[in-house]
Amino acid sequence: MPTVDLVIRGGKVVSPDAIIEASVAIDGGKIVAVGHDDLMPAGREEFRADGQYILPGAIDSHVHFRDPGYPHKETWKTGSAAAAMGGVTTVFDMPNTKPATGTVEALQMKLRAADASYVDFGIHALLGDDTVDVLEDLLDNGATSFKAFVGNTFGNLPAPSDGALLEAFEILAPLGIRTVVHAENSSIMARRQQRMQAAGRMDVQAHLAARPEVCEIEAVSRIIHFSEWTGARVHIAHKSSADALWLVREAKARGVDITVETCPQYVLLNTQDMIRMGGVLRVNPPIRDARHNQPLWDALLDGTVDMIATDHAPHSIEENTRANIWECDCGFPGVETQMALMLTEVNKGRATLMDYVRWSAVAPAKAWGLYGTKGVIAAGAHADIVIVDMDKAGMLSHGKLQSISKISPWNGRRVKGYPVHTIVRGRFVMRDGRLVEDAVGWGKSVKGIQKMPTPDVRNESSTMKNIVKVPEGFPNNALPQVDVVTPADQR
């Protein structure tokens, strides 16, 4: 058997179904063998993972690397370094940069910025009223997917009208492309915030009061209806409340192609934490009452919520700590801390490592058309691997973050279970808990390997594309084709 680039020996390989003692052979950036150590080829590099767990690298479908446009908050270099340190091997970046990723030119700017990435990446382009006519152009030029800000957030991008949203779904349905949706009702939130500001409220809890659960319930329901009508694939971002979970369950039971993510902050934090931390925890959707935490966790366990993401959304310390809650920028860094937080919960017995692999790797790989190449440790797949030490304990510190943003709600939180080595397509980007700095720029777009399943298009005859054409055999006027009786005829 020929010598390969790298053999990881003595670890425990984790899949969604089993944990097995096995070694992994890697060559040319791909896994070539997984099995008993005695059956492995020799490696030009031999790596011992004794007592540690070998997981498929996490795929974070929701990050804001702020590049281009906001280099004081984050760049592709710093954001992807944080991903590498957090055991994340692929990220999907959001379009609310500056300029917003809604034109081919803006998309090309972002792709050039992403040349600095340590990890592989996809790009969510913007779905809005002004981009409906260029969706296919954006896909042809490197976008992997789209994001619709139905609820407002950083950047204040206008929510797409229902007409534009439906038309976009009609266009994307036959292409099989999935759209991420920030599902909150913008009209309700804007009116409530305006009234509270006029009344002088600027306290921490005002942010939650402006975005009640009904905003999410209504928006999720609307998105499900549009998806079901068109057959378009949708993904509900950062699910924060328990109240709309029944809508998702019923939709999945009916065959609607909907996937859902939640984030560590929504299953581990609540409004009491926000009262304690202030604007550091201002995020959209908001951190809610404690009653939502366990139902969201249960929804992860039963598959109603498919995956864990982070909504990594860095800002400067000054931008997160203003006295007026309405002036605090929304979001905080999370891509570097997600895995340690979730592994800690595994160590507590709230889930298994197999559950975690399903949430962090398998489900997102399937949602974005990458499964088989990514999201799995098997022969033929990319060697995207994170090796974790479930016994390593410590304390999270915002001062140690790779992100430019050095303010985190997780600062001081004790964790047990850490990613200690991260490998992207066969190359270490984090080793022994340290960033491999010369791996900068190693990351590649996943566009070339993305293969979405065959779509299930519905109600195609009523799409905008079809209704703007005059049907065959019908005149292009509104005059009735009937005999008209004139006064002369009546005589």
Side-chain angles (χ1 to χ4, degrees):
M1 187 178 296
T3 301
V4 298
D5 292 334
L6 173 66
V7 180
I8 303 170
R9 299 189 184 275
K12 300 174 184 178
V13 174
V14 185
S15 74
D17 306 307
I19 300 175
I20 62 170
E21 293 187 3
S23 295
V24 181
I26 298 165
D27 196 61
K30 294 184 177 181
I31 297 169
V32 295
V34 180
H36 194 281
D37 193 57
D38 291 344
L39 302 177
M40 291 297 106
R44 282 178 281 276
E45 181 179 0
E46 303 268 336
F47 185 87
R48 300 301 310 185
D50 300 321
Q52 297 179 330
Y53 293 85
I54 303 171
L55 281 59
I59 299 171
D60 192 338
S61 58
H62 193 151
V63 303
H64 298 264
F65 282 173
R66 307 298 191 202
D67 192 1
Y70 304 97
H72 71 286
K73 298 176 185 284
E74 196 74 287
T75 67
W76 270 92
K77 181 179 179 181
T78 58
S80 65
M85 292 293 288
V88 176
T89 54
T90 303
V91 296
F92 283 78
D93 189 64
M94 291 294 170
N96 53 334
T97 41
K98 190 176 181 180
T101 317
T103 66
V104 170
E105 294 74 20
L107 173 61
Q108 290 171 340
M109 286 178 63
K110 178 165 287 190
L111 288 169
R112 287 194 295 271
D115 282 342
S117 184
Y118 283 89
V119 302
D120 287 352
F121 57 87
I123 303 293
H124 299 309
L126 180 65
L127 192 163
D129 282 62
D130 296 335
T131 71
V132 172
D133 293 335
V134 296
L135 298 179
E136 292 183 73
D137 289 340
L138 288 163
L139 289 171
D140 289 343
N141 282 274
T144 53
S145 36
F146 291 91
K147 172 69 176 286
F149 291 95
V150 173
N152 74 295
T153 189
F154 177 79
N156 291 319
L157 297 173
S161 63
D162 286 352
L165 194 60
L166 181 61
E167 185 179 353
F169 282 9
E170 291 170 350
I171 294 168
L172 296 175
L175 302 175
I177 297 300
R178 194 176 300 278
T179 298
V180 183
V181 182
H182 180 138
E184 292 184 282
N185 183 298
S186 283
S187 175
I188 293 173
M189 296 186 301
R191 183 176 179 84
R192 290 169 73 90
Q193 180 174 333
Q194 183 181 43
R195 293 292 293 272
M196 283 192 290
Q197 285 180 295
R201 280 199 67 178
M202 59 180 185
D203 58 284
V204 167
Q205 288 182 289
H207 177 62
L208 174 61
R211 308 173 87 105
E213 290 87 344
V214 69
C215 294
E216 192 171 291
I217 296 168
E218 186 281 329
V220 169
S221 176
R222 182 163 28 118
I223 295 306
I224 287 172
H225 288 317
F226 287 0
S227 171
E228 189 166 20
W229 177 259
T230 60
R233 294 186 168 107
V234 295
H235 176 77
I236 303 299
H238 40 46
K239 189 75 179 71
S240 70
S241 77
D243 299 275
L245 289 172
W246 67 274
L247 290 166
V248 175
R249 290 189 180 102
E250 289 188 354
K252 287 188 172 188
R254 295 196 305 271
V256 179
D257 196 336
I258 180 173
T259 55
V260 184
E261 73 186 41
T262 192
C263 309
Q265 54 265 32
Y266 298 121
V267 294
L268 299 178
L269 301 177
N270 58 60
T271 49
Q272 293 304 308
D273 296 294
M274 188 166 184
I275 292 169
R276 176 170 54 87
M277 297 183 197
V280 175
L281 263 185
R282 189 185 185 208
V283 63
N284 301 321
I287 305 298
R288 301 193 183 277
D289 296 335
R291 73 175 181 89
H292 296 278
N293 295 146
Q294 190 59 45
L296 286 169
W297 189 271
D298 292 341
L300 273 170
L301 289 168
D302 69 24
T304 304
V305 174
D306 301 86
M307 66 192 75
I308 199 79
T310 65
D311 192 6
H312 174 86
H315 300 287
S316 71
I317 294 174
E318 186 274 332
E319 290 166 336
N320 273 145
T321 56
R322 293 165 179 154
N324 185 334
I325 192 62
W326 308 117
E327 296 175 359
C328 291
D329 282 351
C330 297
F332 46 82
V335 71
E336 192 169 346
T337 53
Q338 174 268 122
M339 189 171 290
L341 290 165
M342 298 302 288
L343 293 180
T344 300
E345 300 307 304
V346 170
N347 266 323
K348 291 178 180 177
R350 295 188 72 191
T352 68
L353 272 176
M354 295 176 288
D355 291 325
Y356 178 69
V357 164
R358 186 175 74 250
W359 304 336
S360 65
V362 175
K366 289 180 176 180
W368 307 114
L370 306 177
Y371 188 70
T373 303
K374 294 186 182 291
V376 61
I377 297 178
H382 282 180
D384 292 350
I385 291 171
V386 57
I387 301 173
V388 304
D389 184 343
M390 293 299 292
D391 294 323
K392 183 179 178 182
M395 182 182 292
L396 298 178
S397 168
H398 49 211
K400 295 179 181 178
L401 296 177
Q402 293 292 319
S403 174
I404 290 173
S405 177
K406 302 299 183 188
I407 184 165
S408 164
W410 308 111
N411 183 58
R413 192 178 184 97
R414 294 193 175 277
V415 291
K416 184 179 179 182
Y418 271 95
V420 289
H421 313 283
T422 305
I423 298 170
V424 175
R425 286 179 288 103
R427 181 172 182 177
F428 282 94
V429 294
M430 187 259 282
R431 187 164 186 162
D432 296 318
R434 295 179 179 275
L435 182 69
V436 179
E437 295 188 4
D438 64 3
V440 63
W442 179 247
K444 292 183 179 179
S445 170
V446 299
K447 177 71 176 180
I449 61 169
Q450 187 182 36
K451 295 180 181 177
M452 299 298 291
T454 303
D456 176 20
V457 184
R458 303 175 186 177
N459 295 304
E460 199 165 8
S461 63
S462 66
T463 63
M464 185 72 76
K465 178 181 177 181
N466 285 320
I467 65 170
V468 295
K469 294 184 278 188
V470 178
E472 263 185 56
F474 285 81
N476 192 20
N477 61 59
L479 292 176
Q481 304 301 302
V482 296
D483 293 332
V484 178
V485 178
T486 66
D489 295 330
Q490 294 175 331
R491 288 197 296 270

